[in-house]
Structure formats: C-alpha cells, structure tokens
Amino acid sequence: MTALPDDSWLLSIRPQPARVTAEEYDAVPEEIARAIEIVDGYVVYCAAPTPDHQTAGRRLANLLERHAKSAMDAGYECLTVNNDVDLRLRDLPLLNRRPDVALYRCLDRERGERLRADHALLVVEIVSPGSETQDTTDKLGEYAKAGIPHYWIVRLDRTGVSIIERYRLDPAAMLYKHVGTFMKDESEFGEAPRVTNPIPMVINWTDLQF
C-alpha cells in the first residue's frame, strides 16, 4: 500500500475525543452552533448554503408564516416560523439538527425555553447536491422517531421551489408515510395546491420563485 506524503493534510485528522453532551453544546457560541449539527454526540459540519438555497428557505418561511398568522386569527394556538433554527431531538446521546425551516408552537421566552421535537409541527429540508442522503434518509428517520408530525422535502430548479414531498407521521409505527408530492410543472395551469395539516395552507408557486 502506498504511504501518504509526510505533509499530507490527512495525517492531521484526529478523531473526536468524546461525544458532545447537551450541557457542552448549550455553552457553544451561536456563531459556532450555526455551522454544526450534533448526531449521536458527534459534530457534523454543515456546508454553507448557496444563495438559491437561502432564498428558497426565506420564501418558504414567509409562506408558512403568513398562513400561521391566518391560522392563529382563526383560533389556532400561538405559532412561530424560523429558518435554520436549532432543534433538539434528543439529549442522550445528543441529537441536534438545524432544519432549513420549522413551524412550531411558541416557546416561553421568559423561561428561555429551548426548541424541542415536541414543539415542532412541521420541519422542512431543502435538498442540496451534497445533502440528498441526509435529507431523504437520515433526517427522515430522525424526525419521525422524535415524533414530529410533518416533514417536507423540498427540491429546487433554476427558478425556485419546484417539488414539495410531504410526509406525515404514523404515531403507531413512529415512521413517516408519504402523503403526496406537489410539482410546480403540474400546477401551472391549475389551482394552487392546498393542505389542511398541520395548518391550512395554499402553496402559491409564484411566492416560492427566486
């Protein structure tokens, strides 16, 4: 087997010495927390999102927030929508994700309440070239096992959001069931797609363009 050159960067790689605990993560500065996720106690670095990815996340959050406000006006509980928010799925071993968009029950700010899985109603992940497996397999299982009722996988084309795959939790099996896929090119000459859960929404594709 060929030996690595003495100056190879691979020789500088060291294994993580120990799993990150919930207490240690809580002490991490926000600028660092924004760049990582914790999976089973191990640090996973998040690639910086592309401008298109960021724009799509903002468009989706705006759409969800608008419908959340309408839902609250109609009598729903207090709801919040955020991008790239810190979501605690499990304390031991620590499992912390940062979904691209999340719709969740309002937190108690005075008590400094942390966003946990039982607050979340819907999480959304936007697929990037390097995140296919994480978004469609790893997070699909993690969010379901944590009990989050709804999960959307979003795909982009050159003009904006083009596909929304919707999953709903089967609480008996703690697995997601695919409940439908909205495709922009199938709705161009028809009515905008509508959903009733977790809140009533109309998916207006023009709101999701770049």
Side-chain angles (χ1 to χ4, degrees), residues 57-77:
R58 188 170 68 254
R59 298 276 193 273
L60 284 160
N62 290 342
L63 182 146
L64 289 175
E65 187 170 54
R66 185 169 66 252
H67 288 296
K69 289 179 178 178
S70 296
M72 288 188 286
D73 289 341
Y76 278 69
E77 62 189 318

Side-chain angles (χ1 to χ4, degrees), residues 61 66 80 83 103 128 130-131 135-136 168 183 189 201 203-204 210:
R66 185 169 66 252
T80 301
N83 292 102
L103 168 69
S128 298
S131 71
D135 295 337
T136 63
R168 186 169 184 175
M183 303 180 70
F189 304 104
M201 283 183 274
I203 310 299
N204 191 332
F210 296 149

Side-chain angles (χ1 to χ4, degrees), residues 3 7 46 48 57 66-67 70-71 98 107 112 127 154 163 174 190 195:
D7 60 351
C46 304
R66 185 169 66 252
H67 288 296
S70 296
R98 298 187 69 90
L107 306 178
V127 177
V154 170
I163 296 175
M174 295 303 284
V195 299

Side-chain angles (χ1 to χ4, degrees), residues 122-143:
L122 165 68
V123 290
V124 181
E125 295 288 359
I126 301 168
V127 177
S128 298
S131 71
E132 179 82 27
T133 299
Q134 283 193 31
D135 295 337
T136 63
T137 303
D138 299 344
K139 294 180 182 179
L140 185 79
E142 292 167 1
Y143 291 146

